[in-house]
Amino acid sequence: MTDQMRRITLARRPQGMPVPQDFALDTAPLPNPAEGEVLVAVEWLSLDPYMRGRMDDVRSYAPSVGLGEVMTGQGTGRVLASRAPGFAAGDQVTGITGWASHAVLPAPGLRKLDAGLPPSTALGVLGMPGFTAWTGLREYGRPKAGETLVVGAATGPVGSLVGQLARAAGLRTVAVAGGPEKCRLATETFGFDAAIDHRAHDDASSLRKALAQAAPDGVDIYWENVGGKTLEAVLPLMNTHGRIPVCGTIAWYGGADGAQDRLPMAWRAILVKRLHVHGFIIFDHWQHFPEFLADMAPKVAAGEIAFLEDVADGLENAPEAFIGLLQGRNRGKQLVRV
Amino acid sequence: MTDQMRRITLARRPQGMPVPQDFALDTAPLPNPAEGEVLVAVEWLSLDPYMRGRMDDVRSYAPSVGLGEVMTGQGTGRVLASRAPGFAAGDQVTGITGWASHAVLPAPGLRKLDAGLPPSTALGVLGMPGFTAWTGLREYGRPKAGETLVVGAATGPVGSLVGQLARAAGLRTVAVAGGPEKCRLATETFGFDAAIDHRAHDDASSLRKALAQAAPDGVDIYWENVGGKTLEAVLPLMNTHGRIPVCGTIAWYGGADGAQDRLPMAWRAILVKRLHVHGFIIFDHWQHFPEFLADMAPKVAAGEIAFLEDVADGLENAPEAFIGLLQGRNRGKQLVRV
């Protein structure tokens, strides 16, 4: 058994797309597990898009990797030595090993793997990406049979499961993927009803035409993995009351498309802050109007609610008052005394 | 009693901000109510920002006003003649009268007003704008005591009620309004804890600094009435799990800020289509992981779920594989066999 471990560290912070020189490979003495810890020989390491964010020195939903520190990541491996109850040498486990050949981890951060399944599945279809697809579709996608779902990065571990789960729920599923091979995989391996090659479309407008053909009844769920051109193409195709689980914006991870475009900033804020953005039109809610009136009319009558009215006199002055309203010239509710 | 009515019609479709020449004032013979209809003398007409959208010839959540047609809108008035049971001459009613001195309306589209309140309140605080504030805050804002709410157009009929309802629910409320007089109204009349004059800030970054001071614990609910600079200023201040009810984007009603900026298009789609956009991070949902595994592991074991793995051999090849992942070179789940 070696007494050295190999590790990949963050050598410098990338500018846009990472390059090999942003990483360094080094060796370090193999650490010994303390009480309650386990030494693991890493066999499989997961690479995931979220790691790009950890390489930046900006506040996100998780701490950055420090310069010179081992890149973060989940792995699987065999236990070499255990000082924790419940784990023994030879056990197959998964945990946040980092990009390294070995890791010493506290027992609560480890999970033993089902011996009946390949360990690598714990990093993909039965791991964080699979769980992401399952949770986001159930919680935020809320699929209904007969609806249409579009997903970008459709052959990736999240997108491919989103598509299969949605299809099993009775939805028409449309994949967006890069290149003919991935499009073939999307339909043949993952069972998507249609697949669009975004590389065959130079701009969002052309991609939108292809998507509109593949989704003739519009789009009820757009699963957002990518942002960029695909988002721009899909948005005008969304049906009323559509849902957009925002899971990633990989098209923008290497930097935004231009300082004039505020969409990447907004979409990144929605993702990182887990925001819930709800468009709504009051006419959809009219059945609750009597409840509103029963609650508020007594308060208004009692003078407990302040309100302001701006009055324009005469129907002929309605256009000027309306223009003033759009320009913010009114202070309160704009009325016309006809 | 006159036998003529005055009406304001749409003379032409506006380019950006409407101008007086886009409207025309004409007269028409007073119509007679048919069976089931009521003739109303309009006394109050409501002007609302949504009307700008009806002037365009584009598909939105409601039909456009046709050229030469009476501008749409809600009014209140007195019944002059009724051929519908339940309505009598002299009743105060509200309905979609349009911009006109008189209207003949079917009885189901009319509501009798509470004689104890000024009729004009049926168009503002106790009408569509008030109902919008009440519904959107309850349904999509989901305020919790101790949180912070920011609202634009804060002295308008929607914003001013949003602020009062949120404050009554125990939130810190921050108004954004245009000019010192509206800011004074926001705090003195409507009880906002703070008010920011967006006109005193040339850009989003300056406005953001003022907002950050007024909302020292960040923003939990941003009530979106305006879009534009205010949205750009608020987004980075949002707290995790924040909510954004999108009710209007009046800053963009006169046209977007530039073709390079896709945010107005996206925000308008969210509003018009009533989309639900949910950012989410799977680490918040970990308590459901066992449920996921119980559901999916048997399906994976049975071969019912397809998955693809892309394997890079050797830890030293992790950086190249990661760069490839960000560039979309992988097909399925990217793994490293360490």
Side-chain angles (χ1 to χ4, degrees):
Chain A
M1 181 173 138
T2 175
D3 60 354
Q4 295 282 306
M5 62 184 283
R6 297 192 307 149
R7 321 176 311 169
I8 290 179
T9 60
L10 181 62
R12 64 181 191 196
R13 303 214 176 270
Q15 304 293 316
M17 188 61 72
V19 295
Q21 296 74 25
D22 297 330
F23 303 89
L25 177 66
D26 69 9
T27 60
L30 205 60
N32 289 313
E35 189 59 41
E37 290 184 337
V38 174
L39 173 64
V40 178
V42 180
E43 295 180 344
W44 293 98
L45 168 66
S46 174
L47 297 180
D48 299 279
Y50 77 85
M51 295 167 171
R52 174 64 189 84
R54 306 291 172 90
M55 300 175 78
D56 289 333
D57 191 19
V58 295
R59 183 183 161 209
S60 181
Y61 53 87
S64 299
V65 175
L67 288 175
E69 289 180 9
V70 176
M71 284 289 294
T72 190
Q74 187 179 351
T76 75
R78 268 180 314 107
V79 173
L80 292 181
S82 171
R83 294 186 63 192
F87 292 94
D91 282 352
Q92 282 283 353
V93 295
T94 183
I96 306 301
T97 60
W99 296 22
S101 63
H102 296 77
V104 161
L105 294 168
L110 285 178
R111 182 167 62 85
K112 268 205 255 194
L113 297 182
D114 181 341
L117 287 161
S120 61
T121 59
L123 303 178
V125 64
L126 293 177
M128 195 262 283
F131 183 44
T132 299
W134 185 86
T135 298
L137 193 65
R138 188 174 76 150
E139 187 88 2
Y140 303 118
R142 302 195 301 281
K144 290 190 270 296
E147 290 188 335
T148 298
L149 171 137
V150 170
V151 57
T155 65
V158 175
S160 62
L161 190 56
V162 165
Q164 290 178 84
L165 292 173
R167 193 150 196 272
L171 281 76
R172 176 173 174 80
T173 56
V174 178
V176 178
E181 193 213 342
K182 286 184 185 173
C183 285
R184 193 179 48 74
L185 282 171
T187 51
E188 292 181 8
T189 303
F190 296 122
F192 281 90
D193 293 302
I196 312 285
D197 177 3
H198 67 77
R199 294 198 185 142
H201 299 277
D202 286 339
D203 56 28
S205 152
S206 164
L207 180 57
R208 186 178 304 134
K209 284 195 190 92
L211 275 166
Q213 288 197 321
D217 298 327
V219 179
D220 301 289
I221 306 174
Y222 171 53
W223 181 286
E224 177 64 291
N225 279 330
V226 295
K229 185 173 65 177
T230 306
L231 169 60
E232 187 179 354
V234 169
L235 272 174
L237 303 179
M238 292 299 295
N239 287 332
T240 301
H241 305 303
R243 286 83 66 197
I244 306 184
V246 180
C247 177
T249 59
I250 197 169
W252 287 320
Y253 285 7
D257 294 9
Q260 296 306 306
D261 185 7
R262 292 176 289 185
L263 187 55
M265 174 281 293
W267 231 239
R268 182 172 163 78
I270 289 170
L271 171 59
V272 170
K273 309 289 185 67
R274 296 86 132 174
L275 303 182
H276 305 286
V277 183
H278 298 274
F280 78 103
I281 303 282
I282 195 60
F283 306 112
D284 294 335
H285 299 265
W286 218 257
Q287 73 274 20
H288 296 297
F289 190 80
E291 199 184 334
F292 157 72
L293 219 50
D295 181 15
M296 294 299 296
K299 291 175 183 155
V300 170
E304 293 166 16
I305 296 286
F307 61 95
L308 273 184
E309 296 177 343
D310 283 26
V311 176
D313 260 305
L315 181 64
E316 65 281 9
N317 291 314
E320 271 300 350
F322 180 61
I323 293 167
L325 169 72
L326 293 179
Q327 292 172 345
R329 288 208 301 263
N330 62 314
R331 306 167 316 154
K333 171 64 201 161
Q334 182 65 57
L335 298 168
V336 179
R337 190 185 285 121
V338 174
Chain B
M1 181 173 139
T2 174
D3 59 353
Q4 294 282 304
M5 62 184 282
R6 297 192 308 149
R7 321 178 310 169
I8 291 179
T9 59
L10 180 63
R12 64 181 190 195
R13 303 213 176 272
Q15 304 294 316
M17 187 63 70
V19 294
Q21 295 74 26
D22 298 329
F23 303 89
L25 178 66
D26 68 12
T27 59
L30 203 60
N32 288 314
E35 189 59 40
E37 290 184 336
V38 174
L39 173 65
V40 177
V42 180
E43 296 179 345
W44 293 98
L45 168 67
S46 174
L47 298 180
D48 300 279
Y50 78 84
M51 294 166 171
R52 174 62 188 84
R54 306 290 172 91
M55 301 175 77
D56 288 332
D57 190 19
V58 296
R59 185 185 158 206
S60 182
Y61 53 87
S64 301
V65 175
L67 287 175
E69 287 180 10
V70 176
M71 284 289 295
T72 189
Q74 188 178 350
T76 74
R78 267 180 316 106
V79 172
L80 291 182
S82 171
R83 294 188 61 194
F87 292 94
D91 283 350
Q92 282 282 352
V93 295
T94 183
I96 305 301
T97 59
W99 297 22
S101 64
H102 296 76
V104 162
L105 294 168
L110 285 177
R111 182 167 63 83
K112 267 205 256 195
L113 296 182
D114 180 342
L117 287 162
S120 62
T121 59
L123 303 178
V125 64
L126 293 178
M128 196 263 283
F131 183 44
T132 299
W134 185 86
T135 298
L137 193 65
R138 186 173 79 149
E139 185 91 1
Y140 302 119
R142 301 194 303 281
K144 290 188 270 298
E147 291 188 333
T148 298
L149 171 135
V150 170
V151 58
T155 65
V158 174
S160 63
L161 189 57
V162 165
Q164 290 179 84
L165 292 174
R167 193 151 194 272
L171 280 77
R172 177 173 175 80
T173 56
V174 179
V176 179
E181 192 213 342
K182 286 185 185 173
C183 285
R184 193 178 49 71
L185 281 172
T187 53
E188 293 181 8
T189 303
F190 296 121
F192 280 90
D193 293 300
I196 312 284
D197 177 4
H198 67 77
R199 293 198 187 143
H201 299 277
D202 285 339
D203 57 28
S205 153
S206 165
L207 180 57
R208 187 179 302 135
K209 286 196 188 89
L211 275 166
Q213 287 196 323
D217 298 328
V219 179
D220 300 290
I221 305 175
Y222 170 53
W223 182 286
E224 178 63 292
N225 278 330
V226 295
K229 186 173 65 175
T230 306
L231 169 60
E232 187 179 354
V234 170
L235 272 175
L237 303 178
M238 292 300 294
N239 287 333
T240 300
H241 305 303
R243 283 84 65 198
I244 305 183
V246 180
C247 176
T249 59
I250 197 168
W252 288 320
Y253 284 9
D257 293 8
Q260 295 307 308
D261 185 7
R262 291 177 289 185
L263 187 55
M265 174 279 295
W267 231 240
R268 182 172 164 78
I270 290 169
L271 170 59
V272 171
K273 309 289 185 70
R274 297 87 131 173
L275 303 183
H276 304 286
V277 183
H278 298 274
F280 78 103
I281 304 281
I282 195 60
F283 306 112
D284 294 335
H285 298 265
W286 218 257
Q287 72 275 17
H288 295 298
F289 190 79
E291 199 184 334
F292 158 70
L293 219 49
D295 181 15
M296 294 299 296
K299 290 174 183 153
V300 170
E304 294 166 15
I305 296 286
F307 61 97
L308 272 184
E309 297 177 341
D310 282 27
V311 176
D313 260 305
L315 182 63
E316 66 280 7
N317 291 315
E320 271 299 350
F322 180 62
I323 294 166
L325 169 72
L326 292 179
Q327 294 174 344
R329 290 207 299 263
N330 63 312
R331 305 169 315 154
K333 170 65 201 160
Q334 182 65 57
L335 298 168
V336 179
R337 189 184 284 123
V338 175

